[in-house]
Amino acid sequence: MIDALRVLDGVMRLADLVQRDMAEPFAGTSLTMSRAALLWVLHSTGPSTQQALATALDVTPRNITGLVDGLEASGHVARAPHPIDRRATLVTLTDLGSEVMQQMVAQREHMADDLVAELTPAEREALSAGLEKLADRYETMLAAREGKGSP
Amino acid sequence: MIDALRVLDGVMRLADLVQRDMAEPFAGTSLTMSRAALLWVLHSTGPSTQQALATALDVTPRNITGLVDGLEASGHVARAPHPIDRRATLVTLTDLGSEVMQQMVAQREHMADDLVAELTPAEREALSAGLEKLADRYETMLAAREGKGSP
DNA sequence: TATTGTTATACTCTATAACTATA
DNA sequence: TATAGTTATAGAGTATAACAATA
């Protein structure tokens, strides 16, 4: 099944490129990939408790404390008291944080256009569908493994 | 260009899955992703100097020192004197290291088969070709950015 | 003089465990 | 009693800079 390995190689190579692509833009900035991921969640879902962030990013609450500390120091987010639960804190994007996120969204769109610039509409359609199928299958496999590995 | 974003989303999602897929199997082991990546280079290219490893993995020589220290302690690799250059050390896979790599290769093949199990040969072909095109394009974009960003 | 690997130092991400304040 | 966040502690990955041995 040489076919299969060729597909997997393509996926791996692409995954590697994506990773390097996402790490680079922040070089020199105070933004790291983990912190940018947190900003992305805030941008997508709005002000969130640290618990919610921990769940969304699949890390421990302690880890969120550190990330929010960093982002607060750099002025990208602010901590506010939760309106009804005095144990919790609401993390919100500051103006700077919102600006940065808008830039990231724009850059992402630009990147997406660039990426498929040389593909015909039919090719894009086929690729989109194929990627989706592959990701669905992959997700199923990972879920099955988790259920088996650590029940 | 909603098309473009759909393709990029598929790529991102897949990249994320790959990352989680690669991180999980080592949980509980002394093998981490970075160390496994080093083993992979050794398996692919044979005994290497630490300089060569640093270049292959795109990290600093200092970083390699740490990774090799860990892998030496866990018995996966061994340091040997370089036959002609007495400054350098040759890092080689031990028997244990080779065994682990053979398991990883087998597991990877199995995974690849699973991943494309529900695709027709034509779909596989289309997907392989599309992924390759996308990765090539991506690589070109990253190279262009590097040339412009930090000359 | 240039290269190979190491020690020294520092920062980020990550985790577990114990603790405080609130529900 | 359970939950939200923090302090304490620890390990891995990563980087820069200075240094020793060798080329």
Side-chain angles (χ1 to χ4, degrees):
Chain A
M1 290 277 180
I2 296 179
D3 266 11
L5 275 180
R6 195 167 152 227
V7 172
L8 184 60
D9 272 345
V11 171
M12 293 290 196
R13 188 177 158 213
L14 213 41
D16 194 59
L17 287 168
V18 168
Q19 171 136 347
R20 276 198 284 148
D21 174 40
M22 310 229 320
E24 202 117 337
F26 308 134
T29 321
S30 68
L31 271 189
T32 61
M33 265 197 293
S34 297
R35 291 178 190 179
L38 196 154
L39 291 187
W40 200 262
V41 173
L42 287 182
H43 178 258
S44 307
T45 57
S48 313
T49 66
Q50 298 192 184
Q51 277 295 331
L53 291 171
T55 302
L57 295 174
D58 196 29
V59 296
T60 62
R62 175 60 184 91
N63 198 341
I64 298 295
T65 298
L67 295 175
V68 172
D69 282 352
L71 287 165
E72 209 175 22
S74 60
H76 292 95
V77 308
R79 276 188 247 239
H82 191 285
I84 52 176
D85 188 338
R86 286 198 305 180
R87 295 170 302 179
T89 54
L90 268 188
V91 184
T92 61
L93 283 177
T94 61
D95 289 348
L96 171 62
S98 296
E99 263 176 49
V100 167
M101 285 316 295
Q102 277 173 12
Q103 285 169 19
M104 278 182 65
V105 168
Q107 183 187 334
R108 187 165 153 283
E109 279 172 15
H110 181 262
M111 222 275 276
D113 286 344
D114 249 29
L115 198 57
V116 301
E118 289 176 352
L119 300 180
T120 67
E123 280 176 320
R124 296 182 191 192
E125 179 52 38
L127 202 49
S128 284
L131 286 171
E132 210 160 310
K133 246 185 186 173
L134 218 55
D136 286 345
R137 175 77 178 174
Y138 213 136
E139 238 165 34
T140 304
M141 287 169 52
L142 286 191
R145 183 202 293 167
E146 254 174 57
K148 199 176 53 183
S150 51
Chain B
M1 290 276 180
I2 297 178
D3 266 11
L5 274 181
R6 193 165 154 230
V7 172
L8 184 60
D9 272 345
V11 170
M12 292 291 196
R13 187 175 160 215
L14 212 43
D16 194 58
L17 287 169
V18 167
Q19 174 139 342
R20 276 199 284 148
D21 173 42
M22 310 231 317
E24 200 118 335
F26 308 133
T29 320
S30 68
L31 270 189
T32 61
M33 265 198 293
S34 297
R35 292 178 189 178
L38 196 154
L39 291 187
W40 198 263
V41 173
L42 286 182
H43 178 259
S44 306
T45 57
S48 313
T49 65
Q50 299 192 183
Q51 275 295 331
L53 291 172
T55 302
L57 296 174
D58 198 27
V59 295
T60 61
R62 176 60 186 92
N63 198 339
I64 297 296
T65 299
L67 295 175
V68 172
D69 283 351
L71 287 165
E72 209 175 20
S74 59
H76 291 96
V77 308
R79 275 189 247 240
H82 192 285
I84 52 176
D85 188 338
R86 287 198 304 180
R87 294 171 304 180
T89 55
L90 268 188
V91 183
T92 62
L93 284 176
T94 60
D95 288 348
L96 171 61
S98 296
E99 263 175 51
V100 167
M101 285 317 295
Q102 277 173 11
Q103 286 170 17
M104 279 183 63
V105 168
Q107 183 187 334
R108 187 165 154 283
E109 280 173 15
H110 182 262
M111 222 276 275
D113 287 344
D114 250 27
L115 198 58
V116 301
E118 289 177 352
L119 300 180
T120 67
E123 281 176 320
R124 297 181 191 193
E125 180 53 37
L127 202 49
S128 285
L131 286 171
E132 208 159 313
K133 246 185 186 173
L134 218 54
D136 286 345
R137 176 74 177 176
Y138 214 137
E139 235 165 37
T140 304
M141 286 168 54
L142 286 191
R145 181 202 294 167
E146 253 175 59
K148 198 175 52 181
S150 53

